[in-house]
Coordinates of all heavy atoms in Angstrom, one line a residue:
M279 N 0.8 -1.2 0.0 CA -0.1 -0.1 0.0 C 0.8 1.3 0.0 O 0.6 2.2 -0.6 CB -0.9 0.0 1.2 CG -1.9 1.0 1.2 SD -2.9 1.2 -0.2 CE -4.4 0.5 0.5
L280 N 2.0 1.2 0.8 CA 2.9 2.3 0.8 C 3.5 2.6 -0.6 O 3.9 3.6 -1.0 CB 3.9 2.3 1.9 CG 3.3 2.4 3.4 CD1 4.4 2.2 4.3 CD2 2.6 3.8 3.6
A281 N 3.8 1.5 -1.3 CA 4.4 1.6 -2.6 C 3.5 2.4 -3.4 O 4.0 3.2 -4.3 CB 4.8 0.2 -3.1
V282 N 2.3 2.1 -3.5 CA 1.2 2.9 -4.4 C 1.3 4.2 -4.0 O 1.3 5.2 -4.9 CB 0.0 2.2 -4.3 CG1 -1.1 3.0 -5.0 CG2 -0.2 0.8 -4.8
A283 N 1.3 4.6 -2.7 CA 1.3 6.0 -2.2 C 2.6 6.7 -2.7 O 2.4 7.9 -3.1 CB 1.2 6.0 -0.7
Q284 N 3.7 6.0 -2.6 CA 4.9 6.6 -3.1 C 4.9 6.8 -4.7 O 5.3 7.9 -5.0 CB 6.2 5.7 -2.9 CG 6.6 5.7 -1.4 CD 7.7 4.8 -1.2 OE1 7.9 3.7 -1.7 NE2 8.7 5.3 -0.5
L285 N 4.3 5.9 -5.4 CA 4.3 6.1 -6.8 C 3.3 7.3 -7.1 O 3.5 8.2 -8.0 CB 3.7 4.8 -7.5 CG 4.7 3.8 -7.7 CD1 4.0 2.5 -8.2 CD2 5.8 4.2 -8.6
L286 N 2.1 7.5 -6.5 CA 1.2 8.5 -6.6 C 1.8 9.9 -6.3 O 1.6 10.8 -7.0 CB -0.1 8.3 -5.8 CG -1.0 7.2 -6.4 CD1 -2.2 6.9 -5.5 CD2 -1.4 7.5 -7.8
V287 N 2.6 10.0 -5.2 CA 3.2 11.2 -4.8 C 4.2 11.6 -5.9 O 4.3 12.7 -6.2 CB 3.8 11.0 -3.3 CG1 4.8 12.2 -3.1 CG2 2.8 11.0 -2.4
A288 N 5.0 10.6 -6.2 CA 6.0 11.0 -7.2 C 5.4 11.4 -8.6 O 5.8 12.4 -9.3 CB 7.0 9.7 -7.6
L289 N 4.3 10.7 -9.0 CA 3.6 11.2 -10.2 C 3.0 12.5 -10.1 O 3.1 13.4 -11.0 CB 2.5 10.1 -10.5 CG 1.7 10.3 -11.8 CD1 2.6 10.3 -12.9 CD2 0.6 9.3 -12.0
L290 N 2.4 12.9 -8.9 CA 1.8 14.1 -8.7 C 2.9 15.2 -8.7 O 2.7 16.3 -9.4 CB 1.1 14.1 -7.4 CG 0.5 15.5 -6.9 CD1 -0.7 15.8 -7.8 CD2 0.2 15.5 -5.5
L291 N 4.0 15.0 -8.0 CA 5.1 16.1 -8.0 C 5.7 16.3 -9.4 O 6.0 17.3 -9.8 CB 6.2 15.6 -6.9 CG 5.7 15.6 -5.5 CD1 6.9 15.2 -4.6 CD2 5.3 17.1 -5.2
S292 N 5.9 15.1 -10.1 CA 6.4 15.3 -11.4 C 5.5 16.0 -12.5 O 5.9 16.8 -13.3 CB 6.9 13.8 -12.0 OG 5.7 13.1 -12.3
S293 N 4.2 15.7 -12.3 CA 3.1 16.4 -13.0 C 3.1 17.9 -12.8 O 3.0 18.8 -13.7 CB 1.8 15.9 -12.7 OG 1.8 14.5 -13.2
V294 N 3.3 18.3 -11.5 CA 3.3 19.7 -11.2 C 4.6 20.3 -11.7 O 4.6 21.4 -12.3 CB 3.2 19.8 -9.6 CG1 3.5 21.3 -9.2 CG2 1.9 19.5 -9.1
W295 N 5.7 19.6 -11.5 CA 6.9 20.1 -12.2 C 6.9 20.3 -13.7 O 7.3 21.3 -14.1 CB 8.2 19.1 -11.8 CG 9.4 19.4 -12.6 CD1 10.3 20.4 -12.2 CD2 9.9 18.8 -13.8 NE1 11.3 20.4 -13.3 CE2 11.0 19.3 -14.2 CE3 9.3 17.7 -14.6 CZ2 11.7 19.0 -15.4 CZ3 9.9 17.4 -15.8 CH2 11.1 18.1 -16.1
F296 N 6.3 19.3 -14.4 CA 6.0 19.5 -15.8 C 5.2 20.6 -16.0 O 5.6 21.5 -17.0 CB 5.4 18.1 -16.3 CG 4.7 18.4 -17.6 CD1 5.4 18.6 -18.8 CD2 3.3 18.5 -17.7 CE1 4.8 18.9 -20.0 CE2 2.7 18.8 -18.8 CZ 3.4 18.9 -20.1
Y297 N 4.2 20.9 -15.4 CA 3.3 22.0 -15.7 C 4.0 23.3 -15.5 O 3.9 24.1 -16.4 CB 2.0 21.9 -14.8 CG 1.1 23.1 -15.0 CD1 0.3 23.2 -16.1 CD2 1.1 24.2 -14.1 CE1 -0.5 24.3 -16.4 CE2 0.3 25.3 -14.3 CZ -0.6 25.3 -15.5 OH -1.3 26.4 -15.6
V298 N 4.7 23.5 -14.5 CA 5.5 24.7 -14.2 C 6.5 24.9 -15.2 O 6.7 26.1 -15.7 CB 5.9 24.7 -12.8 CG1 7.0 25.9 -12.5 CG2 4.9 24.8 -11.7
S299 N 7.3 24.0 -15.4 CA 8.4 24.1 -16.4 C 7.9 24.3 -17.8 O 8.5 25.1 -18.6 CB 9.4 22.9 -16.3 OG 8.7 21.7 -16.8
A300 N 6.8 23.5 -18.2 CA 6.2 23.8 -19.6 C 5.7 25.2 -19.7 O 5.8 25.8 -20.8 CB 5.2 22.7 -19.9
K301 N 5.0 25.6 -18.6 CA 4.4 27.0 -18.7 C 5.5 28.0 -18.9 O 5.3 29.0 -19.6 CB 3.5 27.2 -17.5 CG 2.7 28.4 -17.5 CD 1.6 28.5 -16.4 CE 0.9 29.7 -16.5 NZ -0.1 29.8 -15.5
A302 N 6.5 27.9 -18.0 CA 7.7 28.9 -18.2 C 8.3 28.8 -19.5 O 8.7 29.8 -20.1 CB 8.7 28.5 -17.1
F303 N 8.5 27.6 -20.1 CA 9.1 27.5 -21.4 C 8.2 28.2 -22.4 O 8.7 28.9 -23.3 CB 9.4 26.1 -21.8 CG 9.8 25.8 -23.2 CD1 11.1 26.1 -23.5 CD2 9.0 25.4 -24.1 CE1 11.6 25.9 -24.7 CE2 9.4 25.1 -25.5 CZ 10.8 25.4 -25.8
L304 N 6.9 27.9 -22.3 CA 6.0 28.4 -23.4 C 5.8 29.9 -23.2 O 5.5 30.6 -24.2 CB 4.7 27.6 -23.3 CG 4.7 26.2 -23.8 CD1 3.4 25.5 -23.5 CD2 5.2 26.0 -25.2
A305 N 6.0 30.4 -22.0 CA 5.9 31.8 -21.8 C 7.0 32.7 -22.3 O 6.9 33.9 -22.5 CB 5.6 32.2 -20.3
G306 N 8.2 32.0 -22.4 CA 9.4 32.7 -22.9 C 9.5 33.0 -24.4 O 8.4 32.8 -25.1
P307 N 10.5 33.4 -24.9 CA 10.7 33.7 -26.2 C 10.5 32.4 -27.1 O 10.9 31.3 -26.6 CB 12.0 34.3 -26.4 CG 12.8 33.9 -25.1 CD 11.8 33.6 -24.1
P308 N 10.0 32.6 -28.2 CA 9.7 31.3 -29.1 C 11.0 30.5 -29.3 O 12.1 31.2 -29.6 CB 9.1 31.8 -30.4 CG 8.7 33.1 -30.0 CD 9.5 33.7 -29.0
S309 N 10.9 29.4 -29.3 CA 12.0 28.4 -29.6 C 12.2 28.4 -31.2 O 11.3 28.5 -31.9 CB 11.9 27.0 -29.1 OG 12.7 26.1 -29.6
P310 N 13.5 28.2 -31.7 CA 13.6 28.1 -33.1 C 12.9 26.9 -33.6 O 12.5 26.8 -34.8 CB 15.1 27.9 -33.3 CG 15.8 28.3 -32.0 CD 14.7 28.3 -31.0
D311 N 12.7 25.8 -32.7 CA 11.9 24.7 -33.2 C 10.4 25.0 -32.9 O 9.9 24.9 -31.8 CB 12.3 23.4 -32.4 CG 13.8 23.1 -32.6 OD1 14.3 23.2 -33.6 OD2 14.4 22.6 -31.6
L312 N 9.7 25.4 -34.0 CA 8.3 25.9 -33.8 C 7.4 24.8 -33.3 O 6.4 25.2 -32.5 CB 8.0 26.4 -35.1 CG 8.6 27.7 -35.7 CD1 8.1 28.2 -36.9 CD2 8.6 28.7 -34.6
Y313 N 7.7 23.5 -33.5 CA 6.8 22.5 -33.2 C 6.8 22.4 -31.6 O 5.9 21.8 -31.1 CB 7.1 21.1 -33.8 CG 8.5 20.7 -33.4 CD1 9.0 20.0 -32.3 CD2 9.6 21.0 -34.3 CE1 10.2 19.5 -32.0 CE2 10.9 20.6 -34.1 CZ 11.2 19.9 -32.9 OH 12.4 19.5 -32.7
A314 N 7.9 22.9 -30.9 CA 8.0 22.7 -29.5 C 7.2 23.8 -28.8 O 7.2 23.8 -27.5 CB 9.5 22.7 -29.1
N315 N 6.7 24.7 -29.4 CA 6.0 25.9 -28.8 C 4.5 25.6 -28.6 O 3.8 26.7 -28.7 CB 6.2 27.1 -29.7 CG 7.7 27.6 -29.7 OD1 8.4 27.4 -28.7 ND2 8.2 28.1 -30.9
N316 N 4.1 24.5 -28.3 CA 2.7 24.3 -28.0 C 2.6 23.2 -27.0 O 3.4 22.4 -26.7 CB 1.9 23.9 -29.2 CG 2.4 22.6 -29.9 OD1 2.7 21.7 -29.2 ND2 2.3 22.7 -31.1
W317 N 1.4 23.2 -26.2 CA 1.2 22.3 -25.2 C 1.2 20.7 -25.7 O 1.6 19.9 -24.9 CB -0.1 22.6 -24.4 CG 0.1 23.7 -23.5 CD1 -0.3 25.0 -23.6 CD2 0.7 23.6 -22.2 NE1 0.0 25.8 -22.5 CE2 0.6 24.9 -21.5 CE3 1.2 22.6 -21.4 CZ2 1.1 25.2 -20.3 CZ3 1.7 22.9 -20.2 CH2 1.6 24.1 -19.6
G318 N 0.7 20.5 -26.8 CA 0.7 19.2 -27.3 C 1.9 18.5 -27.4 O 2.2 17.4 -26.9
F319 N 3.0 19.2 -27.9 CA 4.3 18.6 -28.0 C 4.9 18.5 -26.6 O 5.5 17.5 -26.3 CB 5.2 19.6 -28.8 CG 6.6 19.1 -28.8 CD1 7.0 18.1 -29.7 CD2 7.6 19.6 -28.0 CE1 8.3 17.6 -29.8 CE2 8.8 19.0 -28.0 CZ 9.2 18.1 -28.9
Q320 N 4.6 19.5 -25.7 CA 5.2 19.3 -24.3 C 4.5 18.1 -23.5 O 5.3 17.4 -22.9 CB 4.8 20.7 -23.6 CG 5.6 21.9 -24.2 CD 7.0 21.7 -24.2 OE1 7.7 21.3 -23.2 NE2 7.8 22.2 -25.2
I321 N 3.2 17.9 -23.7 CA 2.6 16.7 -23.1 C 3.1 15.5 -23.6 O 3.5 14.5 -22.9 CB 1.0 16.9 -23.2 CG1 0.6 18.0 -22.4 CG2 0.5 15.6 -22.9 CD1 -0.9 18.4 -22.6
V322 N 3.3 15.4 -24.9 CA 3.8 14.2 -25.6 C 5.3 14.0 -25.1 O 5.7 12.8 -24.8 CB 3.8 14.2 -27.2 CG1 4.6 13.3 -27.8 CG2 2.3 14.2 -27.6
A323 N 6.1 14.9 -25.0 CA 7.5 14.9 -24.5 C 7.5 14.3 -23.1 O 8.2 13.5 -22.7 CB 8.2 16.2 -24.6
F324 N 6.5 14.8 -22.2 CA 6.5 14.3 -20.9 C 6.1 12.9 -20.8 O 6.6 12.1 -20.1 CB 5.5 15.2 -20.1 CG 5.2 14.7 -18.7 CD1 6.2 14.9 -17.7 CD2 4.1 14.2 -18.3 CE1 6.0 14.4 -16.4 CE2 3.8 13.7 -17.0 CZ 4.8 13.8 -16.1
L325 N 5.0 12.5 -21.7 CA 4.5 11.1 -21.6 C 5.4 10.1 -22.1 O 5.5 9.0 -21.6 CB 3.2 11.0 -22.3 CG 1.9 11.8 -21.7 CD1 0.7 11.7 -22.6 CD2 1.6 11.3 -20.3
F326 N 6.2 10.5 -23.2 CA 7.1 9.5 -23.8 C 8.6 9.6 -23.3 O 9.3 8.7 -23.6 CB 7.0 9.6 -25.3 CG 5.8 9.1 -25.9 CD1 4.8 10.0 -26.3 CD2 5.4 7.8 -25.8 CE1 3.6 9.6 -26.8 CE2 4.1 7.3 -26.3 CZ 3.3 8.3 -26.9
Y327 N 8.9 10.6 -22.5 CA 10.3 10.7 -22.1 C 10.4 10.7 -20.7 O 11.1 10.0 -20.1 CB 10.9 12.1 -22.8 CG 12.4 12.3 -22.5 CD1 13.3 11.4 -23.0 CD2 12.8 13.1 -21.5 CE1 14.6 11.5 -22.7 CE2 14.1 13.2 -21.2 CZ 15.0 12.5 -21.8 OH 16.4 12.6 -21.4
W328 N 9.8 11.7 -19.9 CA 9.9 11.9 -18.6 C 9.1 10.9 -17.7 O 9.6 10.3 -16.7 CB 9.4 13.3 -18.1 CG 10.5 14.3 -18.6 CD1 10.1 15.3 -19.5 CD2 11.8 14.5 -18.2 NE1 11.4 16.0 -19.7 CE2 12.3 15.6 -18.9 CE3 12.5 13.8 -17.2 CZ2 13.7 16.0 -18.7 CZ3 13.9 14.4 -17.1 CH2 14.4 15.4 -17.7
L329 N 7.9 10.5 -18.2 CA 7.1 9.6 -17.4 C 7.7 8.2 -17.3 O 7.7 7.6 -16.2 CB 5.6 9.6 -17.8 CG 4.6 8.8 -17.0 CD1 4.5 9.4 -15.6 CD2 3.3 8.8 -17.6
P330 N 8.1 7.6 -18.4 CA 8.7 6.2 -18.3 C 10.1 6.3 -17.5 O 10.3 5.4 -16.7 CB 9.1 6.0 -19.7 CG 8.1 6.7 -20.6 CD 7.9 8.0 -19.8
A331 N 10.8 7.4 -17.6 CA 12.0 7.5 -16.8 C 11.7 7.6 -15.3 O 12.3 7.0 -14.5 CB 12.8 8.7 -17.2
L332 N 10.6 8.3 -14.9 CA 10.1 8.5 -13.6 C 9.7 7.0 -13.1 O 10.1 6.6 -12.0 CB 9.0 9.4 -13.5 CG 8.2 9.4 -12.1 CD1 9.1 10.0 -11.0 CD2 6.9 10.0 -12.3
L333 N 8.8 6.3 -13.8 CA 8.4 5.0 -13.4 C 9.5 4.0 -13.2 O 9.6 3.2 -12.3 CB 7.4 4.5 -14.4 CG 6.0 5.3 -14.4 CD1 5.1 4.8 -15.6 CD2 5.3 5.4 -13.1
L334 N 10.5 4.1 -14.2 CA 11.7 3.2 -14.0 C 12.4 3.4 -12.8 O 12.9 2.5 -12.0 CB 12.6 3.4 -15.3 CG 13.8 2.5 -15.3 CD1 13.5 1.1 -15.3 CD2 14.8 2.9 -16.5
F335 N 12.7 4.8 -12.6 CA 13.5 5.2 -11.4 C 12.6 4.7 -10.0 O 13.3 4.2 -9.1 CB 13.7 6.7 -11.3 CG 14.2 7.2 -10.1 CD1 15.6 6.9 -9.7 CD2 13.5 8.0 -9.1 CE1 16.1 7.5 -8.6 CE2 14.0 8.3 -8.0 CZ 15.4 8.1 -7.7
M336 N 11.4 4.9 -10.1 CA 10.6 4.6 -8.9 C 10.5 3.1 -8.7 O 10.5 2.6 -7.7 CB 9.1 5.1 -9.0 CG 9.1 6.6 -8.8 SD 9.7 7.3 -7.2 CE 8.7 6.4 -6.0
G337 N 10.5 2.4 -9.8 CA 10.5 0.9 -9.7 C 11.9 0.4 -9.1 O 11.9 -0.5 -8.2
I338 N 12.9 1.0 -9.5 CA 14.3 0.6 -9.0 C 14.3 1.0 -7.5 O 14.7 0.2 -6.7 CB 15.4 1.3 -9.8 CG1 15.5 0.7 -11.2 CG2 16.7 1.2 -9.0 CD1 16.3 1.5 -12.1
L339 N 13.8 2.2 -7.1 CA 13.8 2.7 -5.8 C 12.9 1.7 -4.8 O 13.3 1.3 -3.7 CB 13.3 4.0 -5.7 CG 13.4 4.7 -4.3 CD1 14.8 4.7 -3.8 CD2 12.7 6.1 -4.4
L340 N 11.8 1.4 -5.3 CA 10.8 0.4 -4.6 C 11.6 -0.9 -4.5 O 11.3 -1.6 -3.4 CB 9.5 0.3 -5.2 CG 8.7 1.6 -5.1 CD1 7.4 1.5 -6.0 CD2 8.4 1.9 -3.7
G341 N 12.3 -1.4 -5.5 CA 13.0 -2.7 -5.4 C 14.1 -2.6 -4.3 O 14.2 -3.6 -3.5
I342 N 14.9 -1.5 -4.2 CA 15.9 -1.4 -3.3 C 15.2 -1.3 -2.0 O 15.8 -1.9 -1.0 CB 16.7 -0.1 -3.6 CG1 17.5 -0.3 -4.8 CG2 17.6 0.2 -2.4 CD1 18.2 0.9 -5.4
E343 N 14.1 -0.6 -1.7 CA 13.5 -0.4 -0.5 C 13.0 -1.9 0.0 O 13.2 -2.3 1.1 CB 12.2 0.5 -0.5 CG 12.6 1.9 -0.6 CD 11.4 2.8 -0.5 OE1 10.3 2.3 -0.4 OE2 11.6 4.0 -0.9
R344 N 12.5 -2.6 -0.9 CA 12.1 -3.9 -0.6 C 13.1 -4.9 -0.1 O 13.1 -5.6 0.9 CB 11.3 -4.6 -1.7 CG 10.8 -6.1 -1.4 CD 10.0 -6.6 -2.6 NE 9.7 -8.0 -2.4 CZ 8.5 -8.4 -2.2 NH1 7.5 -7.6 -2.1 NH2 8.3 -9.7 -2.0
L345 N 14.3 -4.8 -0.8 CA 15.4 -5.6 -0.5 C 16.0 -5.1 1.0 O 16.4 -6.0 1.8 CB 16.5 -5.5 -1.5 CG 16.3 -6.2 -2.7 CD1 17.4 -6.0 -3.8 CD2 16.2 -7.8 -2.5
A346 N 16.0 -3.9 1.2 CA 16.5 -3.3 2.3 C 15.6 -3.7 3.6 O 16.1 -3.9 4.8 CB 16.6 -1.8 2.3
L347 N 14.3 -3.7 3.3 CA 13.3 -4.0 4.4 C 13.0 -5.5 4.5 O 12.2 -5.9 5.4 CB 12.0 -3.2 4.2 CG 12.2 -1.7 4.3 CD1 10.9 -1.0 3.9 CD2 12.6 -1.3 5.7
A348 N 13.4 -6.4 3.7 CA 13.2 -7.8 3.7 C 13.5 -8.4 5.1 O 12.7 -9.2 5.6 CB 13.8 -8.5 2.6
P349 N 14.7 -8.2 5.7 CA 14.9 -8.7 7.0 C 13.9 -8.4 8.0 O 13.5 -9.2 8.9 CB 16.3 -8.3 7.3 CG 17.0 -7.9 6.0 CD 15.8 -7.5 5.2
R350 N 13.4 -7.2 8.1 CA 12.5 -6.6 9.0 C 11.1 -7.4 8.8 O 10.6 -7.9 9.7 CB 12.3 -5.1 8.8 CG 11.2 -4.5 9.6 CD 11.1 -3.1 9.6 NE 10.1 -2.7 10.4 CZ 9.1 -1.8 10.0 NH1 9.1 -1.3 8.8 NH2 8.1 -1.4 10.8
Y351 N 10.7 -7.6 7.5 CA 9.5 -8.3 7.3 C 9.6 -9.8 7.7 O 8.7 -10.4 8.2 CB 9.1 -8.2 5.8 CG 8.8 -6.8 5.4 CD1 9.1 -6.2 4.2 CD2 7.9 -6.1 6.2 CE1 8.8 -5.0 3.7 CE2 7.5 -4.7 5.9 CZ 8.0 -4.2 4.6 OH 7.5 -3.1 4.4
A352 N 10.8 -10.3 7.5 CA 11.0 -11.7 7.8 C 11.0 -11.9 9.5 O 10.4 -12.8 9.9 CB 12.4 -12.3 7.3
R353 N 11.5 -11.1 10.1 CA 11.4 -11.0 11.6 C 10.0 -10.8 12.1 O 9.6 -11.5 13.0 CB 12.3 -9.9 12.3 CG 13.8 -10.2 12.3 CD 14.5 -9.2 13.1 NE 14.3 -7.9 12.8 CZ 14.9 -7.0 11.9 NH1 15.9 -7.6 11.3 NH2 14.7 -5.8 11.9
Q354 N 9.3 -10.0 11.5 CA 7.9 -9.8 11.9 C 7.0 -11.0 11.6 O 6.2 -11.5 12.4 CB 7.3 -8.5 11.1 CG 7.6 -7.2 11.6 CD 7.0 -6.1 10.8 OE1 6.6 -6.3 9.7 NE2 7.2 -4.9 11.3
K355 N 7.3 -11.5 10.5 CA 6.6 -12.9 10.0 C 6.8 -14.0 11.1 O 6.1 -14.7 11.5 CB 6.9 -13.3 8.6 CG 6.0 -14.2 8.1 CD 6.4 -14.5 6.6 CE 5.2 -15.2 5.9 NZ 5.6 -15.5 4.5
A356 N 8.1 -14.1 11.5 CA 8.5 -15.2 12.4 C 8.0 -14.9 13.9 O 7.5 -15.8 14.4 CB 10.0 -15.2 12.5
A357 N 7.9 -13.6 14.2 CA 7.3 -13.2 15.5 C 5.9 -13.5 15.5 O 5.3 -14.0 16.5 CB 7.6 -11.8 15.8
T358 N 5.2 -13.3 14.4 CA 3.7 -13.5 14.3 C 3.4 -14.9 14.4 O 2.5 -15.5 15.0 CB 3.2 -12.9 12.9 OG1 3.5 -11.5 13.0 CG2 1.6 -13.1 12.9
K359 N 4.2 -15.8 13.7 CA 4.1 -17.3 13.8 C 4.3 -17.7 15.2 O 3.6 -18.7 15.7 CB 5.0 -18.0 12.8 CG 4.6 -17.9 11.5 CD 5.6 -18.7 10.5 CE 5.0 -18.7 9.1 NZ 5.9 -19.3 8.2
R360 N 5.3 -17.3 15.9 CA 5.6 -17.7 17.3 C 4.5 -17.3 18.2 O 4.0 -18.1 19.1 CB 6.9 -17.2 17.7 CG 8.1 -18.0 17.4 CD 9.3 -17.4 18.0 NE 9.6 -16.3 17.1 CZ 10.6 -15.5 17.3 NH1 11.3 -15.4 18.4 NH2 10.8 -14.5 16.5
S361 N 4.0 -16.1 18.1 CA 2.9 -15.6 18.9 C 1.6 -16.3 18.7 O 0.8 -16.5 19.6 CB 2.8 -14.1 19.0 OG 2.4 -13.6 17.7
G362 N 1.4 -16.7 17.5 CA 0.2 -17.2 17.1 C 0.1 -18.7 17.4 O -1.0 -19.3 17.5
S363 N 1.3 -19.4 17.6 CA 1.3 -20.8 17.9 C 1.0 -21.2 19.2 O 1.2 -20.6 20.1 CB 2.6 -21.4 17.5 OG 2.8 -21.2 16.1

């Protein structure tokens, strides 16, 4: 359950970051690449470049957390079995 919460928080924060940075980029002087000067291109760039990178990073981070917390979960499981028997 906490993993889902972490993913949602990361997605929310990255979406806010995307909105603020895209708005600042689009408010500035026009880019020489005219196709980059609209929201459609910025959203596609986020969905196909930043979002997969974010999900990959979060997956790696959650895997590391799981490995780091595995001994704790094993101790809790063993304590539960002992107290339940």
